[in-house]
Amino acid sequence: MIGKKVIIRADRSGVFFGTLKEKNGSEVTLTNCRRLWCWYGAASISQLAVEGTKSPSECKFTLVVPTITILGVIEIIPCTEEAVKSIEEVSVWKNR
């Protein structure tokens, strides 16, 4: 899955979307990564990875960080093109 857009779930740090750069045991490095803080229009991250969100205006996805290393990864789900398009179109959620 190296080089693919994925959603990962980590034991203590949450859910992330980005391009899988490296995986070493339960440590993952993503590039062009967003933290998926809260989502609507999908019942689970599995549905989000396959169909994307049906309610993008209600989602809370952070800005893109160039690279991040996440420890304690317990789930890696490859994203479909439909999901990638949907997730990437969600507006950035941040304090102004």
Side-chain angles (χ1 to χ4, degrees):
M1 285 193 279
I2 300 296
K4 304 282 186 186
K5 297 277 189 174
V6 297
I7 292 176
I8 67 115
R9 181 166 63 104
D11 185 34
R12 296 176 187 250
S13 57
V15 177
F16 301 83
F17 164 79
T19 303
L20 185 60
K21 181 179 178 183
E22 295 178 53
K23 181 183 179 303
N24 184 12
S26 64
E27 179 179 306
V28 165
T29 300
L30 298 178
T31 59
N32 300 315
C33 178
R34 296 179 82 177
R35 186 182 305 260
L36 308 183
W37 184 261
C38 177
W39 58 90
Y40 293 91
S44 66
I45 61 173
S46 299
Q47 184 180 3
L48 193 61
V50 174
E51 298 178 356
T53 175
K54 305 302 183 211
S55 303
S57 64
E58 298 179 56
C59 294
K60 295 179 179 179
F61 298 170
T62 65
L63 52 77
V64 174
V65 295
T67 188
I68 188 170
T69 300
I70 304 156
L71 308 177
V73 172
I74 56 177
E75 196 169 11
I76 303 173
I77 308 169
C79 293
T80 65
E81 289 182 24
E82 176 186 4
V84 169
K85 183 177 184 316
S86 170
I87 293 166
E88 289 180 344
E89 288 179 350
V90 171
S91 297
V92 172
W93 173 68
K94 63 180 180 178
N95 284 332
R96 302 203 190 294

